[in-house]
Amino acid sequence: MEFCGLAFNTPLVLLSGCVGFGEEYTRVAGFSNRDVGAVCLKGTTGQPRLGNPPHRVYETPMGMLNAIGLQNPGVDQVVDRILPELDFSETRFIANVSGSTLEEYHEVTRRFDDSPIDAIEINISCPNVKEGGVAFGNDPDMSARVVETCRKATDKPLVTKLSPNQTDIAGNARRCIEAGSDAFAVINTLMGMAIDIESRRPVIGNNQGGLSGPAIKPVALLKVHQVHQVCRAHGIPIIGQGGVASAEDAIEFLIAGASAVGVGTALFYDPLVCRSINTGIRDYLDRHAIDRVTDLVGTLQLHGGGACG
Ligand SMILES: Cc1cc2nc3c(=O)[nH]c(=O)nc-3n(C[C@H](O)[C@H](O)[C@H](O)COP(=O)(O)O)c2cc1C
């Protein structure tokens, strides 16, 4: 299938922060990057970052909280040392760009533009950093300015990763399309907290973290549906994500309007999950006599007078 002019092996995308820099799972027996359409690399900033103090992850019912804090070696190291090691014959690779200022977003995007990377995801929705991140993503004016800035730095496909921690995600998407976004990733993690009742302190060193995994799937599906209402008229594709762990989950996202489906947290407990998701999607298409996966995208039939327009 095709996504933003890129040939994808399958509709699945491995999500940023869950697969290191694209090589992490290739050491797992039976795992192959060929099973997915694209791999999103860990969030990358202008300078190296050490990330947040521990604890950085905490398991919750049907999900997990994380506050890694964008630990990464900096864009120079990623472009000069890591990208040359990746096998671009296996899959498409998408960079994930973060920053504390517009200038940093511009510079990191420019460095990736001058590299073999296939596309660039703009992370304006990271809940785990003090400056930039979700503070940009929850403000439609700032979101649009970040997209505009990155657009000036590259002609490669730009995927804007939207925050679920805002009231009008569809309105924000509209602004990002006007600013030059080619696609969206919907959704990033939801802000959350866990408390140790003995110490009466937050479990996470950063006090709060981003909630991911099956617990957030219903929220993610609604957000994909809402953003799809805006994207449909412009032919703008969405990478739907949030709690996908089975073929049925992925099919729900496709029906809601996602052209591709991301898998993140599920990889931590089943690194080979993409194989069974691919098989399950093919079986579903056969069973329903649907020729191509794209024919399923956005086929949701709302009940009459549904509230989610
Ligand atoms: C440990 C961890 C680290 C993450 N790091 C990033 C990141 O660097 N950049 C980003 O855009 N999203 C990051 N995310 C968010 C995921 O890419 C994904 O959008 C989110 O977890 C929802 O999908 P899931 O429920 O399948 O994990 C991270 C998520 C986790 C669990």
Side-chain angles (χ1 to χ4, degrees):
M1 60 161 278
E2 192 230 83
F3 187 93
C4 280
L6 302 171
F8 274 19
N9 302 326
T10 82
L12 300 189
V13 174
L14 301 184
L15 294 178
S16 182
C18 303
V19 283
F21 282 93
E23 77 313 329
E24 209 161 272
Y25 283 87
T26 56
R27 295 188 288 273
V28 175
F31 177 92
S32 171
N33 278 337
R34 294 182 194 278
D35 291 335
V36 297
V39 176
C40 294
L41 307 184
K42 175 65 186 165
T44 303
T45 50
Q47 298 302 317
R49 286 200 194 192
L50 284 173
N52 289 327
H55 296 300
R56 292 173 160 199
V57 293
Y58 180 69
E59 192 171 345
T60 63
M62 297 300 283
M64 67 180 274
L65 281 171
N66 93 80
I68 307 298
L70 291 177
Q71 179 182 354
N72 78 97
V75 68
D76 287 343
Q77 185 81 5
V78 175
V79 170
D80 296 338
R81 297 277 163 80
I82 295 177
L83 294 192
E85 299 294 316
L86 296 178
D87 186 348
F88 280 76
S89 73
E90 289 187 339
T91 190
R92 307 276 56 81
F93 288 99
I94 303 177
N96 183 274
V97 169
S98 261
S100 306
T101 60
L102 288 173
E103 292 70 30
E104 188 175 2
Y105 274 101
H106 184 274
E107 179 55 15
V108 179
T109 304
R110 192 192 61 74
R111 290 286 283 121
F112 278 118
D113 182 62
D114 193 20
S115 84
I117 206 80
D118 294 296
I120 297 170
E121 183 171 68
I122 314 172
N123 180 7
I124 47 168
S125 42
C126 181
N128 301 325
V129 287
K130 288 198 172 54
E131 293 160 333
V134 83
F136 287 171
N138 287 346
D139 175 344
D141 286 339
M142 273 313 294
S143 302
R145 285 181 66 191
V146 175
V147 173
E148 201 175 58
T149 301
C150 295
R151 181 75 288 166
K152 286 183 186 144
T154 188
D155 291 327
K156 294 189 193 248
L158 272 182
V159 184
T160 307
K161 189 157 179 176
L162 296 175
S163 165
N165 304 296
Q166 57 180 326
T167 41
D168 183 11
I169 196 170
N172 193 323
R174 203 173 288 114
R175 296 288 305 276
C176 291
I177 293 171
E178 286 161 10
S181 188
D182 299 305
F184 290 103
V186 183
I187 56 175
N188 207 322
T189 53
L190 283 151
M191 284 183 190
M193 182 182 265
I195 296 173
D196 176 343
I197 58 169
E198 297 307 323
S199 65
R200 301 187 201 171
R201 285 175 175 274
V203 174
I204 295 283
N206 185 50
N207 295 324
Q208 65 181 50
L211 183 65
S212 64
I216 71 169
K217 193 186 78 173
V219 178
L221 280 171
L222 177 60
K223 301 292 174 193
V224 167
H225 167 67
Q226 290 171 336
V227 173
H228 178 63
Q229 302 308 298
V230 174
C231 289
R232 195 178 5 213
H234 302 271
I236 299 237
I238 299 168
I239 306 173
Q241 58 200 269
V244 172
S246 68
E248 290 75 17
D249 295 336
I251 291 163
E252 279 188 85
F253 275 92
L254 294 165
I255 292 171
S259 297
V261 179
V263 183
T265 299
L267 293 166
F268 296 149
Y269 52 91
D270 183 2
L272 305 183
V273 69
C274 291
R275 291 225 160 141
S276 56
I277 297 179
N278 283 328
T279 307
I281 294 175
R282 271 196 303 271
D283 289 350
Y284 178 89
L285 295 179
D286 287 348
R287 208 153 29 86
H288 291 265
I290 298 171
D291 285 342
R292 297 168 313 163
V293 76
T294 46
D295 295 334
L296 189 59
V297 174
T299 53
L300 181 67
Q301 304 286 317
L302 289 178
H303 297 295
C308 42

